[in-house]
Amino acid sequence: MKIYTKTGDKGMTSLIGGKRVPKNSARLESYGTIDELNSFLGMIRSFPLEQVIAEELVEIQSRLFDVGGNLATDPEASANLKVPIGVTEEDIALLENGIDRMDAEVPPMKYFVLPGGNQCVSFCHMARTICRRAERRILDLAAETEVDGSVMKYVNRLSDYLFILARKIAYDSGCEEMKWVPRK
């Protein structure tokens, strides 16, 4: 399999199913942002992490490939294709269980925190904001065509997971969370 095909040189690409679309379409923006998020999760995994978190992140990255495949599928051709599943309620439950577990291990949140801390915490916050952008791009796509509701739910829950992951890593590494102090 060649890495380059030259078929996208004029700004078009093929969806799963063969339909050609512009590379800046809502569909491409949605799964391209999922791909960007997945890369950031790989960067987070390059840091020393608790085994359970490292394993969850590998699982999440795999599910993000499923999400991307689901979003990259031409809905008009999907009846004739084996459409990527995307995500299931069990995948969403994995995120919720991780959120609950980590939230129980950090002090209760009493104020908004400024993103930052150490490098890993900062990457978690960056991944969270990319996840929120992915969610917005998926909503743009949903305004044009039907999008699997479980995909939207998963991405929404994933941003919550990444927020509490940032808090957990900050807490475990002794990084002080900086309180946001609004102007009066």
Side-chain angles (χ1 to χ4, degrees), residues 63-139:
R63 296 302 63 80
L64 287 177
F65 265 99
D66 293 336
V67 167
N70 182 278
L71 294 170
T73 301
D74 175 11
E76 295 171 12
S78 66
N80 303 322
L81 299 171
K82 184 175 188 240
V83 179
I85 291 175
V87 291
T88 66
E89 286 298 320
E90 290 80 22
D91 300 319
I92 295 164
L94 179 125
L95 294 176
E96 291 172 348
N97 292 336
I99 292 166
D100 293 342
R101 183 193 72 252
M102 289 185 285
D103 193 44
E105 297 175 12
V106 298
M109 205 169 138
K110 297 178 181 174
Y111 46 79
F112 287 108
V113 296
L114 299 177
N118 64 35
Q119 200 172 32
C120 186
V121 172
S122 297
F123 284 139
C124 290
H125 281 293
M126 290 176 72
R128 173 186 55 80
T129 62
I130 293 168
C131 189
R132 287 290 188 204
R133 179 164 29 93
E135 183 178 20
R136 293 188 303 272
R137 297 297 76 87
I138 293 168
L139 288 172

Side-chain angles (χ1 to χ4, degrees), residues 32-47:
T33 308
I34 291 293
D35 186 39
E36 182 183 354
L37 171 60
N38 207 337
S39 295
F40 262 83
L41 296 182
M43 189 173 351
I44 293 166
R45 282 193 317 103
S46 73
F47 289 87

